[in-house]
Amino acid sequence: MSPTHPDPQPDPEVRAHLDALRAIPPRDPAVAAQARQAFLEQARQLAVSARPERRLNRWKAFWIGLLYPKKEVSPMFSALTTILLVVSLLLGGSGVTVAAAQASLPDDLLYPVKTWSEDLRSEITRDPQARLNLSLELAERRTAEITQMVARDEVPPEPVLLRLQTHLQTALQLAVAQSDAQAVRALERIRQRLEIQYQRLLQQGSVTNPTAQAALVRTRAMIQTHLQAVQEGLQDPQILRQRLRQGMPETVPPQNHQPGGNPWTQDTPTPGSGYGSGQGGNPWTQDTPTPGSGYGSGQGGNPWTQDTPTPGSGYGPGPGPEATCTPGSGPMMPTFQPPRQGNGPARP
Amino acid sequence: MNAPNEQEWLQAAQRFDPEALAAIYDYYSPRLYAYAMRLLGNRDLAEECVAETFARFLHALHVGHGPRQQLQAYLYRTAHNWITDRYRRQPPPSLNTDDIDLSTGTPNPETSLETAWMRQHLRRALWQLTPDQRQVILLRFVEDLDNETVAAVLQKPVGAVKALQHRALVALRRILEREVENVPNPS
């Protein structure tokens, strides 16, 4: 006991509890003997060999540990592997697999490698300008992938479209995060590149697969929505900042984009089931629609209002099923209004 | 309380002398078993703790590490670390275990039940302490080790161990009060 420090002792109640812990049931002699035997056997096996040069010493243990790493070493090995991979990416993306993956399309096996390497680049890119350029580059990649798949009558998966939307929104957010003058310059750059993408999408020839066609239309609408946002931002970056804070409007959901027919199936529909190619009218009702109710066979215009629209507002009764889109006719909304011919599984 | 010939045992153990190893095992394994049993309240776990502690001791000797002195402190520390590691990511062991043994010679079963009840509450309380606090309480007041040995086990100065001991007792008192308030006495 140290003379300078008191030796704290438990009070009687705590002491009584501690004393209760002293007594333990007797150890099973058979188990104890067995354990002793096992210990001595283990000691015999590990005992030093007769020849000193064959004994395991600290140096030998070090080299053995280095040559045959135990599982505890694996995390470091894994970290080292990751670092080497990242360095190889930074030095020009020289990884053979990663390089091969760059040309892959969403239905290829290597596509996850491509998106992984993109995510990694996004993670390690810190400079806002570089990040903006990267977002635009990735958006162009997504658009190119969608175009290529649609050209082959293949349907681009939903995650690809979502990634495109993320890239576009990231680009806009990075642009308006700067001062007004810088934001306008960045938005102008975005506008030019988005217009090129939009033109490429417009040049896409006819597509026989209606689902692929729907994806193409949706992609166009997405680009156009962001183009309109950019136009607004060019006039007043503050308005765009506010809009982005409130959240960019979603592009029209895929089922509302069907230009006719149900893209999810081409089978003959079961009458009244609501599923099928969409030529069977509105499965939810066969009644004559109440004017303005929005319910019925779906041939009406905008059920929400019959008022005269405010020019440029984008609201109003709508031109009806045969209308064509006018780019820039409404703020922040895709101008594409699909004709409501088939109702298929779409909500009434 | 150190074994009188601990240093000799250690030197012989480093040469893997079977007699010394057997002597070390015979002297310390019952103590380690009791220590683990008191904390875990389970025979199988206590046996596992003893086996693992001695296996680690042998392995340390084999690779040229292991204790150069204070064998007792080394073994208690190894046992304590094994218990702490085992229950670091999972709840402490079930405390309603097989140490409620009415055949241990207590003539009055009621007294035995009361002791068992106190034991369970103490274990619950001990598991709410930090590992160091738990260790200092057990080693000082149940295993009756002196401050110097406890300091060697914890690898801390004696003064720090006393400060830890003080905090541990205060915390234990508070937890026990709360435990007793919350749980009805079965008797």
Side-chain angles (χ1 to χ4, degrees):
Chain A
M1 173 179 150
S2 170
T4 53
H5 295 87
D7 191 20
Q9 294 295 317
D11 61 38
E13 267 188 60
V14 174
R15 171 69 75 183
H17 277 83
L18 290 167
D19 286 343
L21 205 58
R22 286 178 187 276
I24 56 163
R27 193 178 180 187
D28 184 338
V31 175
Q34 202 176 350
R36 184 181 189 273
Q37 187 63 31
F39 167 76
L40 293 176
E41 176 59 23
Q42 193 179 5
R44 193 187 61 76
Q45 288 175 2
L46 289 174
V48 290
S49 60
R51 293 165 57 191
E53 66 273 17
R54 293 193 63 189
R55 290 180 195 165
L56 182 68
N57 57 31
R58 290 182 190 205
W59 279 108
K60 283 183 184 172
F62 171 77
W63 287 112
I64 288 171
L66 206 62
L67 291 171
Y68 304 100
K70 288 185 279 188
K71 64 177 180 182
E72 289 83 359
V73 185
S74 297
M76 177 57 76
F77 177 74
S78 173
L80 192 65
T81 311
T82 308
I83 290 167
L84 286 173
L85 195 55
V86 169
V87 168
S88 77
L89 278 173
L90 288 174
L91 295 175
S94 57
V96 174
T97 308
V98 175
Q102 298 312 303
S104 62
L105 286 177
D107 54 354
D108 292 336
L109 281 178
L110 280 178
Y111 190 73
V113 180
K114 182 181 185 178
T115 53
W116 172 80
S117 67
E118 289 175 1
D119 292 344
L120 192 63
R121 281 180 69 191
S122 302
E123 283 289 320
I124 61 177
T125 306
R126 288 277 165 259
D127 177 58
Q129 285 299 327
R131 287 184 65 198
L132 196 154
N133 290 336
L134 179 62
S135 296
L136 288 174
E137 182 193 326
L138 297 180
E140 283 168 0
R141 279 193 188 193
R142 295 293 89 79
T143 310
E145 288 164 3
I146 291 166
T147 313
Q148 285 179 57
M149 289 195 76
V150 168
R152 298 193 310 206
D153 265 352
E154 290 171 356
V155 182
E158 181 68 17
V160 178
L161 273 74
L162 291 176
R163 283 181 82 90
L164 171 61
Q165 187 159 7
T166 305
H167 299 323
L168 294 172
Q169 293 192 2
T170 305
L172 289 192
Q173 280 164 352
L174 287 165
V176 297
Q178 308 171 85
S179 66
D180 280 5
Q182 289 173 317
V184 167
R185 279 198 295 275
L187 287 170
E188 179 56 32
R189 220 167 59 239
I190 295 173
R191 188 187 65 78
Q192 290 170 6
R193 294 178 73 162
L194 287 188
E195 280 190 346
I196 293 169
Q197 289 181 53
Y198 188 69
Q199 289 303 318
R200 281 184 187 148
L201 288 166
L202 284 179
Q203 287 163 11
Q204 186 67 42
S206 62
V207 181
T208 52
N209 183 340
T211 314
Q213 173 68 25
L216 179 65
V217 169
R218 192 175 159 205
T219 309
R220 282 179 194 152
M222 195 188 294
I223 299 282
Q224 207 170 26
T225 303
H226 286 82
L227 259 174
Q228 287 167 13
V230 169
Q231 294 281 13
E232 281 197 352
L234 283 169
Q235 288 168 12
D236 186 352
Q238 189 55 29
I239 292 177
L240 181 54
R241 287 190 191 104
Q242 282 173 0
R243 284 195 185 278
L244 287 171
R245 271 198 292 274
Q246 291 160 3
M248 279 287 289
E250 293 291 328
T251 52
V252 184
Q255 55 265 49
N256 289 346
H257 276 285
Q258 312 317 320
N262 178 358
W264 309 107
T265 180
Q266 295 182 8
D267 294 343
T268 307
T270 308
S273 71
Y275 295 95
S277 57
Q279 302 300 321
N282 183 351
W284 306 104
T285 180
Q286 294 183 356
D287 294 344
T288 306
T290 309
S293 71
Y295 294 95
S297 57
Q299 300 298 322
N302 182 352
W304 305 108
T305 179
Q306 294 185 357
D307 294 343
T308 307
T310 308
S313 70
Y315 294 96
E322 302 304 326
T324 53
C325 316
T326 308
S329 62
M332 299 295 293
M333 291 294 288
T335 50
F336 172 75
Q337 296 285 338
R340 301 175 64 184
Q341 290 169 355
N343 288 292
R347 300 280 302 172
Chain B
M1 185 180 69
N2 289 352
N5 45 2
E6 187 179 83
Q7 203 57 33
E8 285 175 27
W9 280 350
L10 254 181
Q11 287 171 2
Q14 281 159 4
R15 296 191 304 271
F16 272 75
D17 180 79
E19 284 182 19
L21 288 171
I24 289 170
Y25 187 88
D26 291 341
Y27 186 81
Y28 287 115
S29 79
R31 286 165 173 74
L32 293 177
Y33 174 83
Y35 176 72
M37 187 67 197
R38 285 172 184 135
L39 193 52
L40 300 171
N42 180 293
R43 286 184 175 93
D44 295 335
L45 287 175
E47 287 290 356
E48 195 180 343
C49 177
V50 173
E52 187 63 31
T53 300
F54 278 100
R56 288 182 185 185
F57 171 57
L58 283 181
H59 181 73
L61 291 177
H62 181 63
V63 297
H65 297 280
R68 303 285 166 191
Q69 53 188 358
Q70 298 278 11
L71 174 59
Q72 183 182 27
Y74 170 87
L75 292 172
Y76 271 108
R77 185 166 59 248
T78 306
H80 183 83
N81 289 345
W82 181 84
I83 294 169
T84 305
D85 287 348
R86 188 182 171 97
Y87 294 104
R88 194 184 297 279
R89 289 187 184 83
Q90 63 186 59
S94 167
L95 301 177
N96 297 315
T97 46
D98 51 4
D99 68 332
I100 305 176
D101 191 346
L102 299 182
S103 63
T104 52
T106 308
N108 184 353
E110 212 168 273
T111 309
S112 185
L113 250 183
E114 191 181 340
T115 306
W117 182 80
M118 287 171 77
R119 213 156 40 213
Q120 286 183 18
H121 280 82
L122 179 65
R123 283 207 193 100
R124 276 200 199 94
L126 285 172
W127 278 103
Q128 293 176 52
L129 298 176
T130 67
D132 276 357
Q133 288 176 344
R134 189 160 58 234
Q135 195 171 19
V136 78
I137 292 278
L138 277 174
L139 294 179
R140 279 292 285 124
F141 304 117
V142 183
E143 303 298 321
D144 292 325
L145 300 185
D146 57 37
N147 275 322
E148 284 71 23
T149 308
V150 175
V153 174
L154 289 167
Q155 297 179 306
K156 292 178 189 291
V158 172
V161 168
K162 287 180 179 173
L164 178 66
Q165 188 175 316
H166 172 72
R167 289 196 301 275
L169 284 170
V170 171
L172 182 61
R173 165 90 202 172
R174 195 177 55 243
I175 295 166
L176 277 175
E177 281 173 356
R178 202 171 57 220
E179 282 276 321
V180 172
E181 279 169 15
N182 292 342
V183 183
N185 190 324
S187 62

